[in-house]
Amino acid sequence: MRHLLKPLRHNCRRLRWAHHRAQKAAASPSPPPRPPRPPPKPESLTFHDHSWEDPYSWMSKLNDKVAMRHLDMYMEQEEKYTEATMSGTDRLQSKLQSEMASRFASDLSTPPLRWGPWLYYRRVEEGKQFPVLCRRLASLNDEFISHKSPSAGFDFTSGKRIEQKLLDYNREAQRFGGYAYEELSEVSPDHRFIAYTMYDKESDFFKLSVRNLNSGALCSKPQADRVSDLAWAKDGQALLYVVTDQNKRPCRIYCSMIGSTDDDFLILEEPDENVYVNIRHTKDFRFVTVHTFSTASSKVFLINAADPLSGVNLVWECEGISHGILEHHQGYLYLFTDAAKEGQSVDYHYLLRSHLDSSSSPRTWESVFTDDPDWVVEDLDFSHTHLVVTLREGRNFRLCSVTLPLPAGKGPVHLKELHPQFLPLPKYVSQISPGPNYDYHSSKMRFTISSPVVYNEPNLLNFSQMPDAVVDYDLSNGEWNIVQQQNILHERTRVLYGTASSASINEETLNSKTSNPSNEVNSDDDQLWNGLSEFYACEQYNVASYDGVLLPLTVVYSRKNKKEDQNPGLLHVHGTYGELLDKRWRSELKSLLDRGWIIAYADVRGGGGGGKKWHHDGRRTKKINSIKDYISCANFLVDKEIVHENKLAGWGYSAGGLVVASAINQSPHLFKAAILKVPFLDPTNTLLYPILPLTAADYEEFGYPGDIADFHAIRDYSPYDNIQKDVLYPAVMVSSSFNTRFGVWEAAKWVARVRELTIYDQKRPILLNLTTDIVEENRYLQCKESALESAFLIKVMES
């Protein structure tokens, strides 16, 4: 697809420059721009018992050169229309972008991660777009402060340069056409090599490279294309990797001996086009695990990392698609899975154990913990001495550690019987994300904590968000340390609001805190988490959906700027793949909060946080629940006068964009504006006739068109197929990219059809914002895109 759009990219750049010059020359205001109107070319389609017409199917005919030339011209018109519509917001965009950029530290660095003798970290050099991967010997810089200390990485006391640059992604961008989009990177367990995959935009795949960390040179092999997974073996002497087929299905595992001139050895090839393959190494590097899965079955195999060419051994299998992570600890295999138990689907993950040397066939597995609906195990992480468990109580998260090895021969035990040590957290954590935690023999584990601090009122939870905290927990003694947090945001907010009632957090306070005997954080310690309760507040409501199911709705606002029934609001949603809605503090939203906006988050069915049933109740034939849940939350915000009735906007990314667009179809009057980022808008055609490869998980989520019940559900929720005619729609900015998994034609088709069918209002434009770069990897582009979207929302609300 990419080569067909090359002329478009060139023309878009030329168009921006020409348009900029024309603007400067204009002396009088120009009339409001008219939106482009691409020609409809109806194509009749029939499937099952249903026939329909698609007027813009020509936009997805990638092999039709005439159609692609027309699409190029149409994209140029869209680019020009968006620029003309937004031209009056140039100063606002500049101000917003400046605000957002100022919240980034000028010299960003990830907190150093110790693995063996080394401290690994990434940092962004001043004036550079992309980071540099570096390391230092911990023995030369035990008290790591920043990458600038000692100056320039040279310690004059020891007479040694203590920083080693391993991988400069700015140079990688030169290799890959200006992009530095890395998907995978793994340092070998002997710390001599790094294997990594970079996105090649010209070929549209990820390319594997291996670099010698001592010399900095690229190894001659392996250098493979279409690589989806990596795992080191033989203590860094061998690399296993997975290659995808032309449809991007991971299907072949190869083994490459580093330094050898022999061809890479094919370990496994999966011929069934419905089966997908992935690999990972166990934390102790003893084994490489192979997980194959399809809708029919899931299997886990073991490869001996000391002898990777000795074959693969089946250790577990089940019917249907399931999630499974295998670990090894002191002669036992541990499997964390959500597979059905005795033929009955379960709503949670659970931990199984089997002796490594088990001779039974099939292998015997026993449950480790007894089931407890009040303590749901969400995640696990192993070290040599401890098992760390992430628990969910209702919708609240806790973190605890258990000493290893676990008792054997007793059958399932309740977690409480193992005397777990609960690790200090802010109250009512919204998300816990494990760090890399590569060092299996370290007593420390790293987690990123996102948390509100809550006090109770009837039917309402009030709390205040905090910036994400990266925390190291020492499992041997209970000490904990916040190693990175956005303190800069706290201080600048303090200046903005003209208050200094809370003391600043000093470095001594942040170091070596110890959990108290009750394993809870003292209320006096709340300030240690750098909360923003002084300036922003957060409320959580339980909203009844159309069928009575209660939905968590989170509302964030500025204490200074909230005014009853006057504030504009932005309602976020995802509701897909069982994934948690991202409610972490995002500094770019601060610009809206400080202008009086309400930021809300709707936890609808189909998303995460409520178990497997919550996810399954919002997928396939029940996908409509996600949409109705979102509408219920939107109505609640307006009915309770939290948001002004004519100032509500929707926001959805990827599959979340489908939820917002479908909600607009059903209730266009509810929304004044919406932001749809690389959205999934045409599920009927995408699922029936996929242009970009889809996985079994995609069909499990959105439905199998071959199943007549699924097909009718897809037709009912499809944003593209249910646009209301002769109705006023909200203003919408659809951001799409030439590098998105959902093709740019989906956004273009939806925009064209909305304009064709709905009532035109120049104050409610439908815009197509095209990006030609991978924004996620570039801080400048992130700020630019966020500023454009925020300016669009502000412009619409003030019109």
Side-chain angles (χ1 to χ4, degrees):
M1 180 185 75
R2 303 294 185 270
H3 66 284
L4 294 172
L5 296 173
K6 275 186 185 176
L8 169 61
R9 295 178 182 175
H10 174 74
N11 290 337
C12 286
R13 294 190 184 99
R14 177 166 51 86
L15 181 60
R16 288 192 187 99
W17 173 242
H19 184 62
H20 178 69
R21 287 185 299 178
Q23 276 187 318
K24 282 197 169 186
S28 58
S30 56
R34 298 290 296 183
R37 296 279 183 171
K41 302 174 184 178
E43 178 182 4
S44 297
L45 301 165
T46 300
F47 197 74
H48 288 308
D49 56 352
H50 193 76
S51 297
W52 69 97
E53 284 193 344
D54 184 350
Y56 300 105
S57 62
W58 62 268
M59 294 185 184
S60 61
K61 307 293 186 185
L62 301 189
N63 294 322
D64 185 332
K65 293 182 179 179
V66 174
M68 288 301 98
R69 282 199 297 270
H70 289 169
L71 182 63
D72 285 355
M73 290 187 290
Y74 171 49
M75 291 293 152
E76 289 181 13
Q77 295 169 8
E78 288 290 354
E79 183 89 8
K80 186 174 183 179
Y81 176 61
T82 297
E83 288 190 4
T85 302
M86 296 299 295
S87 61
T89 66
D90 289 346
R91 291 184 63 183
L92 176 59
Q93 287 184 56
S94 179
K95 180 174 175 56
L96 288 166
Q97 188 172 346
S98 177
E99 290 174 7
M100 294 171 186
S102 71
R103 296 176 195 131
F104 286 116
S106 59
D107 52 345
L108 285 182
S109 175
T110 61
L113 179 71
R114 181 158 186 169
W115 182 13
W118 295 97
L119 294 165
Y120 289 89
Y121 55 99
R122 294 176 189 242
R123 62 181 178 84
V124 179
E125 296 179 320
E126 190 171 352
K128 298 291 184 68
Q129 286 190 359
F130 303 107
V132 181
L133 175 64
C134 304
R135 71 180 179 186
R136 297 183 178 195
L137 279 171
S139 60
L140 295 179
N141 193 204
D142 206 21
E143 294 297 323
F144 190 102
I145 299 173
S146 76
H147 68 269
K148 290 185 176 179
S149 176
S151 179
F154 190 86
D155 184 359
F156 289 94
T157 303
S158 64
K160 295 181 179 180
R161 179 172 297 281
I162 65 172
E163 179 179 84
Q164 181 185 359
K165 288 186 180 181
L166 305 179
L167 197 55
D168 187 339
Y169 293 96
N170 296 284
R171 293 185 178 179
E172 292 297 316
Q174 296 174 10
R175 290 178 61 206
F176 293 96
Y179 289 80
Y181 185 21
E182 177 190 77
E183 184 176 60
L184 306 169
S185 66
E186 294 283 348
V187 174
S188 62
D190 60 0
H191 303 277
R192 294 196 304 143
F193 300 97
I194 182 171
Y196 59 102
T197 61
M198 301 294 295
Y199 179 66
D200 187 329
K201 65 170 184 170
E202 296 299 327
S203 304
D204 190 26
F205 55 60
F206 285 90
K207 184 179 182 66
L208 170 65
S209 300
V210 176
R211 193 176 290 274
N212 186 313
L213 296 182
N214 293 322
S215 67
L218 278 173
C219 298
S220 58
K221 62 179 288 290
Q223 290 193 20
D225 297 333
R226 302 196 307 274
V227 172
S228 62
D229 258 328
L230 303 171
W232 286 100
K234 294 193 71 172
D235 196 30
Q237 298 176 54
L239 179 70
L240 278 65
Y241 59 92
V242 180
V243 172
T244 64
D245 61 16
Q246 295 297 330
N247 292 321
K248 297 187 178 180
R249 176 181 68 93
C251 59
R252 290 187 293 275
I253 303 176
Y254 288 92
C255 177
S256 178
M257 296 299 176
I258 305 300
S260 169
T261 58
D262 295 340
D263 291 341
D264 295 347
F265 185 81
L266 179 63
I267 290 180
L268 181 145
E269 181 168 17
E270 178 52 66
D272 189 336
E273 63 181 16
N274 297 310
V275 177
Y276 296 76
V277 178
N278 62 43
I279 62 174
R280 62 183 295 273
H281 64 77
T282 55
K283 292 287 292 286
D284 60 2
F285 283 97
R286 284 278 305 276
F287 300 97
V288 173
T289 66
V290 180
H291 186 196
T292 67
F293 59 94
S294 69
T295 55
S297 67
S298 300
K299 300 178 182 180
V300 177
F301 301 83
L302 272 189
I303 296 175
N304 183 354
D307 186 10
L309 303 184
S310 60
V312 297
N313 299 306
L314 178 67
V315 294
W316 179 80
E317 64 179 320
C318 72
E319 293 184 355
I321 189 169
S322 71
H323 176 254
I325 297 293
L326 191 73
E327 274 297 344
H328 171 259
H329 186 272
Q330 295 187 11
Y332 282 91
L333 299 177
Y334 289 88
L335 180 72
F336 188 55
T337 182
D338 62 352
K341 282 187 173 183
E342 299 177 354
Q344 297 296 316
S345 177
V346 296
D347 194 32
Y348 50 84
H349 282 71
Y350 54 93
L351 186 63
L352 299 175
R353 177 171 59 181
S354 177
H355 200 282
L356 177 63
D357 297 327
S358 173
S359 58
S360 61
S361 182
R363 175 181 288 272
T364 301
W365 292 87
E366 64 174 9
S367 293
V368 175
F369 303 128
T370 56
D371 296 336
D372 184 346
D374 295 327
W375 279 22
V376 179
V377 178
E378 288 286 317
D379 201 2
L380 299 168
D381 204 347
F382 281 83
S383 74
H384 182 62
T385 57
H386 289 81
L387 171 66
V388 177
V389 183
T390 303
L391 295 171
R392 177 169 53 83
E393 294 181 282
R395 286 187 173 268
N396 301 320
F397 292 93
R398 302 185 77 182
L399 196 63
C400 69
S401 67
V402 175
T403 303
L404 293 176
L406 298 177
K410 292 186 177 181
V413 298
H414 196 283
L415 182 58
K416 292 178 181 177
E417 297 178 42
L418 301 177
H419 308 292
Q421 179 185 23
F422 284 91
L423 304 175
L425 293 170
K427 294 178 181 178
Y428 297 92
V429 168
S430 61
Q431 190 170 341
I432 300 175
S433 305
N437 296 327
Y438 291 121
D439 199 333
Y440 178 69
H441 295 283
S442 173
S443 65
K444 293 183 179 179
M445 277 201 185
R446 176 168 295 176
F447 294 86
T448 299
I449 309 299
S450 304
S451 170
V453 178
V454 185
Y455 58 88
N456 289 302
E457 287 185 1
N459 302 316
L460 174 66
L461 292 176
N462 281 289
F463 51 89
S464 171
Q465 288 193 327
M466 71 172 199
D468 284 357
V470 181
V471 185
D472 280 351
Y473 294 98
D474 192 326
L475 307 178
S476 65
N477 56 23
E479 290 187 352
W480 57 291
N481 179 26
I482 298 176
V483 295
Q484 189 176 69
Q485 198 176 24
Q486 284 183 293
N487 290 314
I488 187 172
L489 176 64
H490 191 274
E491 295 307 314
R492 287 180 177 168
T493 301
R494 189 182 306 285
V495 171
L496 173 69
Y497 282 83
T499 176
S501 60
S502 296
S504 299
I505 299 175
N506 57 52
E507 292 298 325
E508 291 182 5
T509 307
L510 287 178
N511 289 323
S512 298
K513 296 171 289 292
T514 305
S515 57
N516 59 45
S518 66
N519 291 322
E520 299 289 349
V521 180
N522 291 328
S523 59
D524 293 338
D525 291 337
D526 281 348
Q527 65 170 333
L528 300 177
W529 295 98
N530 197 20
L532 297 171
S533 58
E534 192 174 347
F535 318 108
Y536 306 101
C538 207
E539 299 171 357
Q540 189 173 72
Y541 302 86
N542 288 320
V543 177
S545 190
Y546 75 102
D547 56 357
V549 172
L550 294 181
L551 314 167
L553 175 66
T554 305
V555 176
V556 186
Y557 59 89
S558 161
R559 293 187 183 276
K560 181 179 180 180
N561 295 305
K562 186 174 186 292
K563 299 175 182 177
E564 188 172 325
D565 194 29
Q566 294 185 36
N567 298 75
L570 184 62
L571 181 58
H572 291 246
V573 72
H574 186 61
T576 316
Y577 294 110
E579 296 171 346
L580 285 173
L581 175 62
D582 188 357
K583 296 192 286 285
R584 295 174 301 168
W585 176 267
R586 289 167 51 198
S587 60
E588 65 267 26
L589 292 178
K590 184 178 183 298
S591 291
L592 290 178
L593 288 169
D594 292 342
R595 287 170 171 81
W597 280 68
I598 304 294
I599 308 297
Y601 302 87
D603 278 299
V604 303
R605 282 171 284 185
K612 187 186 289 186
K613 185 178 185 302
W614 186 264
H615 170 212
H616 286 189
D617 282 348
R619 65 171 196 163
R620 295 184 65 174
T621 58
K622 297 180 180 180
K623 189 65 203 169
I624 196 69
N625 283 340
S626 305
I627 299 153
K628 290 186 175 181
D629 289 353
Y630 184 68
I631 293 172
S632 297
C633 290
N635 277 315
F636 182 89
L637 290 173
V638 173
D639 293 344
K640 297 298 181 181
E641 299 185 344
I642 298 170
V643 173
H644 187 280
E645 64 178 353
N646 195 34
K647 292 185 178 181
L648 179 61
W651 191 98
Y653 173 80
S654 189
L658 179 148
V659 176
V660 177
S662 296
I664 289 172
N665 284 342
Q666 292 192 26
S667 302
H669 63 280
L670 255 182
F671 303 92
K672 181 73 174 289
I675 300 291
L676 308 180
K677 294 180 70 68
V678 290
F680 184 26
L681 297 172
D682 187 13
T684 301
N685 287 301
T686 295
L687 295 169
L688 269 176
Y689 315 109
I691 296 171
L692 300 176
L694 300 176
T695 68
D698 296 322
Y699 287 106
E700 283 289 311
E701 192 66 34
F702 300 106
Y704 294 86
D707 181 291
I708 192 165
D710 279 8
F711 173 74
H712 283 295
I714 294 165
R715 292 288 299 170
D716 287 343
Y717 72 69
S718 168
Y720 181 67
D721 296 306
N722 292 282
I723 298 166
Q724 293 194 40
K725 190 173 183 180
D726 298 328
V727 171
L728 181 63
Y729 263 41
V732 183
M733 174 174 283
V734 185
S735 294
S736 191
S737 167
F738 300 110
N739 299 293
T740 173
R741 63 173 302 202
F742 299 127
V744 69
W745 54 87
E746 285 207 21
K749 288 174 64 178
W750 186 85
V751 165
R753 202 168 196 183
V754 169
R755 291 196 191 127
E756 175 192 351
L757 295 177
T758 63
I759 296 173
Y760 170 72
D761 183 347
Q762 68 182 42
K763 293 183 178 180
R764 295 191 173 198
I766 308 295
L767 302 182
L768 181 56
N769 173 38
L770 297 169
T771 62
T772 57
D773 295 293
I774 299 176
V775 174
E776 289 81 357
E777 298 300 303
N778 188 305
R779 287 191 298 160
Y780 169 76
L781 290 176
Q782 284 179 19
C783 289
K784 186 176 181 182
E785 285 298 300
S786 296
L788 176 66
E789 292 165 6
S790 298
F792 171 77
L793 292 172
I794 293 169
K795 170 186 169 72
V796 171
M797 294 304 171
E798 292 180 350
S799 65

